[in-house]
Amino acid sequence: MDKNEILEKSRKENENRDEMERTITIEGESFSLAFTLMAGLAIVAYNHFHNLPSDSVMIMFWTSCVSSRLYRLTKRGDTSDLITMIISLVILVFYVVKYFSQG
């Protein structure tokens, strides 16, 4: 192999590694949010059956969603990230206002 072939092979390996890292990051983020949602739903269900408020749990979950979308938006600039961030932000604001208005 000559120098150019070695450099080209190395460049392709780096591209593949970078793509794999991006995929792992995105899948890890989604996995984390899914488990956060499941834990939050369990707490909300428990609180509902015991007449306890759950707004603080929802605030934590939606804060996680907003921050995740904001980070992805700054890295990728994808319109879908902006839309999901705005939706998550509206829901977050709803729960924050509800939490502080109820004492």
Side-chain angles (χ1 to χ4, degrees):
M1 258 192 226
D2 71 346
K3 178 182 169 185
N4 290 333
E5 289 175 356
I6 293 171
L7 288 173
E8 182 63 24
K9 182 179 177 185
S10 176
R11 185 187 63 74
K12 285 183 181 181
E13 287 175 358
N14 285 337
E15 284 178 4
N16 290 339
R17 200 169 313 126
D18 289 345
E19 185 61 33
M20 185 174 70
E21 287 297 322
R22 272 188 238 112
T23 301
I24 289 170
T25 300
I26 291 169
E27 289 175 353
E29 175 185 286
S30 299
F31 191 73
S32 173
L33 284 175
F35 270 88
T36 302
L37 175 61
M38 286 189 288
L41 288 175
I43 293 168
V44 168
Y46 176 86
N47 288 352
H48 177 75
F49 289 117
H50 292 90
N51 294 321
L52 299 170
S54 295
D55 295 338
S56 58
V57 174
M58 298 305 286
I59 289 170
M60 291 171 58
F61 173 73
W62 289 109
T63 300
S64 177
C65 289
V66 169
S67 62
S68 168
R69 296 297 107 185
L70 179 61
Y71 178 78
R72 284 181 61 156
L73 182 64
T74 60
K75 294 297 179 187
R76 297 179 355 163
D78 191 345
T79 304
S80 67
D81 291 326
L82 176 62
I83 293 168
T84 55
M85 185 190 76
I86 290 170
I87 293 168
S88 298
L89 186 59
V90 167
I91 297 169
L92 172 62
V93 168
F94 167 79
Y95 279 107
V96 168
V97 168
K98 184 178 172 192
Y99 178 80
F100 285 110
S101 66
Q102 293 179 351

